[in-house]
Amino acid sequence: VIFRNLVQALVGEHSDLTAWALDTGANAGIGTANRQDKRRGVVLHAFSAEEVYMAAVAGSVTGSSTANLVGVADTLLVQNTVNAHVGNNSRVSAGLNTAEKKDVNGDGQSDDSHGEGEIAVEARDDTFVVNFGGALDATGSAAAVLGGTVVTILFEKQVSAILMGGSQAVHAEKSITVDADSTDEMFLLAATFGVTGGTAAAGGAGNILAYENAVQAHLGGQITTGGDVNITADTVIELYNVALSIAGASTAGVSGVAVVTSFQGLTEAILLAGASVDTKGKLNILANSREFITADGAGISGGGTAGVSGTVVVILNENTVLAIVQDNAAAAKPVIRASSITLNAQDDYRLIGVAA
């Protein structure tokens, strides 16, 4: 099964976005899925939430036979792209103050948004996936039974919030936020049972979970604001990869389990090269990643003469978390001024691996 999902809120290069944020009525502002209050200004918001369930089960139960074979193999491919993007060299402005001496509503007076006017570029994706495979092979007196299960999840995700002002002004009377947020919870489960009163039984289970994601928040431009500037990327991941195989016969039982989890992640919050910042508030560049990964396998066998079982668990992990002010190649270094400047890259990683 292939599941592809594309959600985008896009503004092209060399654009000019202006929101005066003067409306003060009860319905003023822009509502989005991630918060209850409304915001006045320029808001690009891309949001997606998915739940994917897949199951494959096979079984055979007989009183007697020469040999029985039951097997299940399923693969789930998930590809998610959620993108909020303002193209390069785009001018973005939210709010007004009287010093600008602009009369945009035609009342003959200089307009003022009274501190209101936000710029928000936000991308968020929440994913929940379950893939289960099961095989049951049972007979009363077959000479041999064999049960096998192979279950796979291949997962790719990109969540990006990007405002590329370039050499253009990016101004908000209140605050500027560029935020990319991703949450994933995945269960890959397999169970195989091979049982006979006859000579031999064999059961095997194999799980492959390959996970790759990129969560990116980028801000560039000549940035001025009366409030905070927040560039934040946040990732939360829970991966469960569990397989069980049981085999039993009157003479010999053989079971084997292989569990493979491959994880590759990128979480980055970046103030782009050439950007300048002049804010009365704080400049926060924050990248946070939290992962819980468990890969567990158990092979159980029994026989009147012999029981043989084996379990292999393999975990491959590569994770990068970055909070960066990029180098500027030009001779003149852009000014960065704020009441405080915080760059924080943090990873909280927990792993449980069990082979029995």
Side-chain angles (χ1 to χ4, degrees):
V1 174
I2 299 175
F3 176 86
R4 289 191 175 98
N5 183 48
L6 175 63
V7 178
Q8 294 182 310
L10 302 178
V11 176
E13 295 183 350
H14 308 289
S15 298
D16 193 333
L17 304 178
T18 301
W20 305 125
L22 298 178
D23 191 357
T24 59
N27 296 320
I30 301 166
T32 55
N34 63 328
R35 53 193 292 169
Q36 294 182 342
D37 60 316
K38 294 183 177 181
R39 289 168 288 180
R40 292 157 57 187
V42 177
V43 177
L44 270 76
H45 184 80
F47 173 74
S48 182
E50 312 88 33
E51 293 186 6
V52 182
Y53 300 88
M54 181 174 175
V57 179
S60 175
V61 179
T62 62
S64 63
S65 62
T66 302
N68 266 19
L69 173 63
V70 174
V72 168
D74 77 56
T75 299
L76 174 62
L77 171 62
V78 179
Q79 295 177 321
N80 282 349
T81 301
V82 179
N83 184 16
H85 190 167
V86 179
N88 194 31
N89 281 320
S90 292
R91 178 186 175 277
V92 186
S93 178
L96 278 175
N97 62 67
T98 52
E100 296 181 68
K101 298 181 179 180
K102 290 184 178 180
D103 178 16
V104 298
N105 59 11
D107 63 358
Q109 299 180 353
S110 297
D111 291 316
D112 196 323
S113 62
H114 303 288
E116 290 293 333
E118 299 181 46
I119 296 173
V121 180
E122 301 167 333
R124 177 175 177 176
D125 183 74
D126 298 335
T127 305
F128 180 84
V129 177
V130 177
N131 190 6
F132 172 76
L136 170 63
D137 193 355
T139 70
S141 59
V145 298
L146 175 61
T149 304
V150 178
V151 185
T152 303
I153 292 178
L154 305 176
F155 183 86
E156 299 175 4
K157 174 188 276 192
Q158 182 181 33
V159 179
S160 56
I162 298 174
L163 196 170
M164 301 178 66
S167 62
Q168 299 297 313
V170 177
H171 172 76
E173 286 295 302
K174 190 173 185 180
S175 63
I176 297 174
T177 299
V178 177
D179 177 65
D181 191 348
S182 174
T183 300
D184 297 318
E185 189 173 6
M186 297 187 187
F187 295 85
L188 181 61
L189 310 170
T192 302
F193 302 91
V195 181
T196 180
T199 304
N207 283 18
I208 300 173
L209 173 56
Y211 176 97
E212 182 177 347
N213 83 329
V215 180
Q216 300 166 299
H218 297 175
L219 174 61
Q222 310 312 301
I223 300 157
T224 56
T225 177
D228 294 341
V229 177
N230 296 305
I231 310 168
T232 56
D234 192 76
T235 302
V236 178
I237 299 166
E238 294 185 12
L239 304 179
Y240 301 84
N241 191 357
V242 181
L244 170 67
S245 176
I246 297 176
S250 61
T251 302
V254 179
S255 69
V257 174
V259 177
V260 178
T261 297
S262 174
F263 168 78
Q264 185 173 358
L266 171 65
T267 303
E268 62 181 21
I270 297 177
L271 181 66
L272 296 173
S276 66
V277 178
D278 190 353
T279 174
K280 297 177 181 177
K282 302 174 182 178
L283 171 59
N284 297 313
I285 304 173
L286 311 175
N288 297 291
S289 182
R290 295 178 296 280
E291 309 92 33
F292 174 77
I293 299 174
T294 182
D296 312 302
I300 302 171
S301 63
T305 302
V308 179
S309 63
T311 301
V312 176
V313 174
V314 178
I315 301 172
L316 306 173
N317 178 69
E318 181 181 347
N319 193 38
T320 304
V321 183
L322 302 172
I324 293 177
V325 176
Q326 283 187 336
D327 291 340
N328 184 41
K333 302 299 182 184
V335 173
I336 298 178
R337 295 193 185 98
S339 62
S340 67
I341 299 174
T342 302
L343 286 83
N344 186 49
Q346 181 173 325
D347 183 34
D348 180 2
Y349 180 75
R350 292 177 292 160
L351 170 66
I352 297 175
V354 177

